[in-house]
């Protein structure tokens, strides 16, 4: 059974940084692509970033380009989202998702429970 567990969320001031983690079990990150998505109150879930199963291809939403970095550590079976220069509009519940041999930002099959990120102004 593929299970994901996000961690690393919290409260941070604008301009600060957080690193989200997505620990996987029941599968090998080696052959899985990963994505991060977020959902703010009253809004639809939106794409944030993705990394291909090879680890070589990444995609970012325009709103986070240059501030967020997605990565995965196959040895630790964990994915990450490094978030710098955080803004109040980044406040949301952040979800990781994975797909076997995933490429690009669509088609993710398994989702975590989410972690809250709150950025104060």
């Amino acid at each position: 059974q593929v299970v994901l567990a996000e961690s690393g969320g919290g409260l941070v001031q604008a301009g600060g940084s957080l690193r989200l983690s997505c620990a996987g079990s029941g599968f090998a990150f080696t052959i899985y692509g990963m994505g991060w998505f977020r959902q703010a109150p009253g809004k639809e879930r939106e794409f944030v970033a993705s990394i291909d199963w090879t680890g070589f291809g990444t995609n970012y939403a325009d709103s986070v380009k240059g501030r967020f970095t997605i990565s995965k550590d196959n040895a630790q079976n964990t994915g990450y989202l490094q978030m710098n220069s955080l803004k109040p509009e980044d406040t949301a519940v952040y979800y990781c998702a994975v797909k076997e041999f995933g490429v690009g930002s669509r088609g993710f099959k398994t989702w975590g429970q989410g972690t809250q990120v709150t950025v104060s102004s």
Side-chain angles (χ1 to χ4, degrees), residues 18-90:
L18 284 174
R19 188 177 77 158
L20 305 183
S21 298
C22 176
S25 60
F27 70 100
F29 252 112
T30 307
I31 60 169
Y32 273 70
M34 179 185 70
W36 285 95
F37 297 76
R38 66 187 182 187
Q39 187 167 19
K43 295 187 177 181
E44 293 187 353
R45 186 171 60 192
E46 64 175 359
F47 167 77
V48 175
S50 65
I51 185 167
D52 297 345
W53 72 274
T54 63
F56 293 122
T58 57
N59 295 280
Y60 294 93
D62 288 343
S63 58
V64 307
K65 279 181 182 176
R67 299 189 298 123
F68 291 10
T69 303
I70 189 171
S71 62
K72 66 187 182 96
D73 184 333
N74 293 334
Q76 296 295 321
N77 223 44
T78 301
Y80 302 98
L81 184 68
Q82 177 67 44
M83 306 186 295
N84 299 327
S85 302
L86 282 161
K87 304 175 181 180
E89 50 263 45
D90 294 319

